[in-house]
Amino acid sequence: MFEATARNRRAQRVQKLYAILFGLMTALLILPVLIILGTLIYKGGSMISIDFLFTEPTNGMTEGGIFPALLGTVWLVSVALLASVPLGVAAAIYLSEYAPDNWLTRAINLAIINLAGVPSIVHALFGVGAFVIFFGFGTSILAASLTLAIMTLPVVIVSTKESLQAVPQAFRVACWNMGATRWQTIRRVVLPNAVSGILTGIILEVSRTTGETAPIMFTGAVFFSPYLPQGIFDQTMALSLHLFVVTTQVPEVPEALPYGVALVLIFLVLLMNSLSIGFRMYLRGKKKW
Amino acid sequence: MVAPKLVVEGLSISYGGKTVLHDINLEVQENEIFGIIGPANAGKTSFLKAINRMSDFESDMQVSGTIRFNGRDIRTLRNLYAYRSRIGVVFPLPVGLPLTIYENVALAPRLRGVKHRDELDEMVERCLKRAALWEEVKDRLHVLGSLLSGGQQQRLTIARALSQEPELLMLDEFSIAVDPVTTMRIEDVLKELKREITIILVTNLVQQARRLADRTAFFLEGKCVEIAETEALFTGTVQDQRTRDYIEGRFG
Ligand SMILES: Nc1ncnc2c1ncn2[C@@H]1O[C@H](COP(=O)(O)OP(=O)(O)OP(=O)(O)O)[C@@H](O)[C@H]1O
Ligand SMILES: [Mg+2]
């Protein structure tokens, strides 16, 4: 009974081989991440302190903390989110739930996917032309955030659309059968079941926005500012740009400083990503079908 | 004589050019259970979809011919939502919405604008009782409907259809996943409901049609072969030999 044939045994050997092979690939993949983190902590860990996070840079940015940059990044990301999330989610709902399946819709979808591939420096130039000059916002948080928003909008739209489309069509049909309108169906059945995916997409977008440098560099972020931003029409420092500056533009910076800045930046991003993963796991536990 | 609830004239249905239902003509009277029997592929489900205009949501489904509901040609309807809300449908594969049992049944009343908790509670209880599900779920109304067993979900969709307080109830092989005892209980409810509403019952069980339907139509390969008083069909006065063969299980 259940004697393994030669063929069975061979299949099992092959199967083991593939498991090992793919396992190795995965290990290779996480290696760089570990090396980067390790180096950062080793070289910049000594910088991290409450003071470093909450004081201003001094002495030509060679000493002191990073508070204005940290605060600026929070500003930039928040305003960018305020602009991109409502717009992106609304567009995704329209495209997924209302738009008829015709060539125009398909063309729009294609355009959005392509927009996601536009290099960020191109978005930066667009931001300068549109927000700084044409709309007259000047170099400001508003202009920089809107540039970031435009850049991440396709990502929000695509991820939201995917979450919506993961909700089985049968649920919608069942609702329509009862005489529910499209909006009633979306509000009561589709959105509640897509919200975890939508939020995950948004958090991932936040983490991407946090690290961007090019789009903000000409539109609202400055090398150094003695003042903290007071509103969306002010310029601001930002972590990503600050890292670039202390690494390449300022002479005689102690070696640990850029590593410290990078560590804070990467920690912010990782924090946001783990939040997103944790959130997804929490909501998956409550999955409804 | 009262006007019929539903009049179907020259109804044809095709999917992407392939006709699956040809020239159906029939009337369904108020407070009648109208049975439809026929083998797979006869077009029974498609027929139901045309009646509540779910065909609008299937881009390759074309419907021609006239359907009149309460005397009104449904092609001229403006408010399709109101129309569909007056027709309850139960499809053979139960779709429990990803909501709690309670919310599954309370959804239709909520959509109509019922807000008071008492009213909703009462409605949910009544519909679940009629669908013979109340006893099994009354202690866990707030767990997800999709966690119920297949047969229970089927009854949940029946309760949901009833919660619409429909004028017309269309059941498509509702007992497919329901055990015989429970099926009998639901059948009793249908007989009672007939006093208030009209029912179209599509069934694969010819004996179920015999037990419930006042009149029965026999669909075969996209055509309506015969419509007759149910008793007449089963006691021998069929017009078409194919009907007899099907009823007596000598088909093929
Ligand atoms: N969405 C669809 N697209 C294309 N063809 C379809 C679609 N729905 C049904 N059909 C076709 O229409 C025909 C009739 O199907 P229908 O579901 O109405 O039959 P039925 O009588 O309900 O069968 P059953 O007893 O198996 O439920 C079949 O040939 C089927 O392939
Ligand atoms: Mg069918």
Side-chain angles (χ1 to χ4, degrees):
Chain A
M1 267 260 238
F2 300 129
E3 297 273 350
T5 63
R7 200 188 157 75
N8 286 150
R9 274 194 294 272
R10 207 174 71 94
Q12 274 175 22
R13 270 201 309 278
V14 171
Q15 122 89 13
K16 257 186 210 140
L17 202 72
Y18 274 104
I20 292 169
L21 190 71
F22 291 152
L24 276 176
M25 300 280 200
T26 314
L28 259 170
L29 247 166
I30 49 179
L31 207 59
V33 180
L34 289 179
I35 292 175
I36 292 174
L37 261 181
T39 318
L40 287 182
I41 292 172
Y42 175 68
K43 296 203 168 173
S46 60
M47 291 300 299
I48 306 300
S49 66
I50 298 287
D51 265 7
F52 184 63
L53 292 180
F54 293 106
T55 58
E56 288 168 27
T58 49
N59 199 8
M61 288 190 271
T62 55
E63 284 168 30
I66 53 168
F67 186 61
L70 192 58
L71 186 71
T73 292
V74 172
W75 265 103
L76 288 169
V77 172
S78 313
V79 177
L81 273 188
L82 278 178
S84 67
V85 169
L87 212 66
V89 171
I93 290 178
Y94 177 77
L95 287 171
S96 156
E97 306 295 316
Y98 288 96
D101 183 24
N102 57 23
W103 68 266
L104 184 62
T105 311
R106 280 193 289 271
I108 292 175
N109 279 324
L110 205 67
I112 290 169
I113 290 169
N114 280 317
L115 213 57
V118 172
S120 54
I121 189 73
V122 177
H123 282 290
L125 293 178
F126 170 77
V128 171
F131 302 122
V132 178
I133 298 169
F134 184 78
F135 286 108
F137 298 148
T139 47
S140 60
I141 290 178
L142 184 61
S145 290
L146 288 178
T147 310
L148 286 172
I150 296 280
M151 194 188 74
T152 46
L153 209 48
V155 185
V156 179
I157 294 177
V158 170
S159 76
T160 305
K161 223 169 54 147
E162 273 165 10
S163 316
L164 292 171
Q165 277 162 4
V167 177
Q169 183 68 7
F171 294 158
R172 297 184 181 84
V173 174
C175 277
W176 297 336
N177 256 317
M178 286 195 279
T181 62
R182 281 193 186 249
W183 174 242
Q184 285 172 326
T185 305
I186 293 166
R187 197 172 77 82
R188 300 206 179 244
V189 173
V190 181
L191 273 185
N193 287 286
V195 77
S196 70
I198 295 175
L199 287 175
T200 315
I202 291 171
I203 297 177
L204 281 176
E205 182 221 342
V206 174
S207 74
R208 232 195 101 191
T209 314
T210 310
E212 282 297 338
T213 316
I216 56 173
M217 159 166 193
F218 312 115
T219 50
V222 289
F223 278 31
F224 179 77
S225 160
Y227 309 106
L228 294 179
Q230 305 297 316
I232 54 172
F233 291 105
D234 287 352
Q235 300 180 337
T236 182
M237 292 178 71
L239 265 188
S240 51
L241 185 61
H242 188 60
L243 176 59
F244 170 69
V245 171
V246 292
T247 314
T248 59
Q249 309 290 304
V250 185
E252 285 163 42
V253 172
E255 205 206 350
L257 182 69
Y259 286 104
V261 178
L263 196 58
V264 174
L265 186 62
I266 213 165
F267 183 75
L268 261 184
V269 172
L270 285 182
L271 187 77
M272 236 96 73
N273 282 356
S274 2
L275 240 152
S276 142
I277 292 166
F279 198 67
R280 169 165 280 192
M281 272 171 10
Y282 164 73
L283 285 163
R284 192 179 292 156
K286 305 203 324 177
K287 191 94 170 177
K288 298 191 176 159
W289 70 86
Chain B
M1 180 163 161
V2 272
K5 188 79 186 166
L6 187 78
V7 179
V8 176
E9 284 165 358
L11 177 73
S12 295
I13 298 175
S14 59
Y15 290 100
K18 179 175 147 265
T19 306
V20 298
L21 208 57
H22 305 265
D23 192 28
I24 303 294
N25 295 284
L26 54 82
E27 289 179 0
V28 178
Q29 304 300 329
E30 190 101 37
N31 302 103
E32 155 175 71
I33 297 186
F34 186 86
I36 299 178
I37 56 173
N41 211 15
K44 308 180 295 292
T45 302
S46 307
F47 176 76
L48 298 187
K49 281 195 211 154
I51 288 179
N52 75 342
R53 281 194 55 180
M54 284 311 283
S55 44
D56 295 10
F57 296 114
E58 284 186 43
S59 54
D60 63 344
M61 180 171 177
Q62 288 101 32
V63 179
S64 64
T66 312
I67 297 172
R68 262 192 277 277
F69 185 81
N70 289 344
R72 174 85 186 262
D73 185 339
I74 65 165
R75 280 173 303 193
T76 67
L77 290 174
R78 287 263 184 69
N79 190 345
L80 278 173
Y81 305 110
Y83 175 63
R84 290 199 190 97
S85 71
R86 288 152 79 177
I87 301 181
V89 203
V90 175
F91 282 114
L93 293 177
V95 179
L97 291 173
L99 303 167
T100 63
I101 295 172
Y102 185 95
E103 286 303 329
N104 258 282
V105 186
L107 182 58
R110 280 190 205 280
L111 295 178
R112 289 201 292 279
V114 178
K115 286 208 179 72
H116 291 290
R117 194 71 195 188
D118 304 348
E119 220 175 316
L120 286 172
D121 287 350
E122 193 248 336
M123 179 81 84
V124 168
E125 179 172 345
R126 178 152 43 94
C127 293
L128 284 172
K129 276 185 173 153
R130 282 181 156 174
L133 188 59
W134 176 252
E135 288 304 321
E136 290 159 57
V137 301
K138 65 178 179 209
D139 301 323
R140 46 179 182 143
L141 288 175
H142 297 286
V143 306
L144 285 175
S146 39
L147 297 180
L148 293 174
S149 77
Q152 288 173 325
Q153 285 199 42
Q154 181 86 65
R155 281 175 281 153
L156 184 62
T157 61
I158 295 174
R160 206 171 62 204
L162 293 175
S163 74
Q164 291 173 237
E165 301 195 319
E167 293 171 36
L168 173 66
L169 181 62
M170 305 198 290
L171 298 161
D172 193 352
E173 291 163 28
F174 77 89
S175 54
I176 209 164
V178 181
D179 67 88
V181 178
T182 314
T183 303
M184 285 303 171
R185 275 163 64 201
I186 298 173
E187 286 187 11
D188 289 340
V189 171
L190 294 180
K191 280 183 222 156
E192 263 173 54
L193 272 175
K194 187 171 90 159
R195 275 187 246 137
E196 299 158 36
I197 66 178
T198 308
I199 298 173
I200 298 179
L201 175 77
V202 170
T203 179
N204 271 341
L205 308 168
V206 281
Q207 289 308 322
Q208 185 171 61
R210 182 173 194 179
R211 286 193 296 269
L212 292 176
D214 298 298
R215 290 185 306 140
T216 298
F218 175 54
F219 278 31
L220 177 65
E221 287 166 4
K223 297 202 180 65
C224 180
V225 174
E226 162 154 18
I227 303 173
E229 299 288 328
T230 306
E231 260 327 289
L233 267 192
F234 282 89
T235 50
T237 44
V238 291
Q239 288 155 12
D240 198 298
Q241 187 56 32
R242 288 173 297 177
T243 316
R244 153 139 315 147
D245 289 347
Y246 183 70
I247 289 175
E248 293 176 358
R250 282 189 272 115
F251 211 76

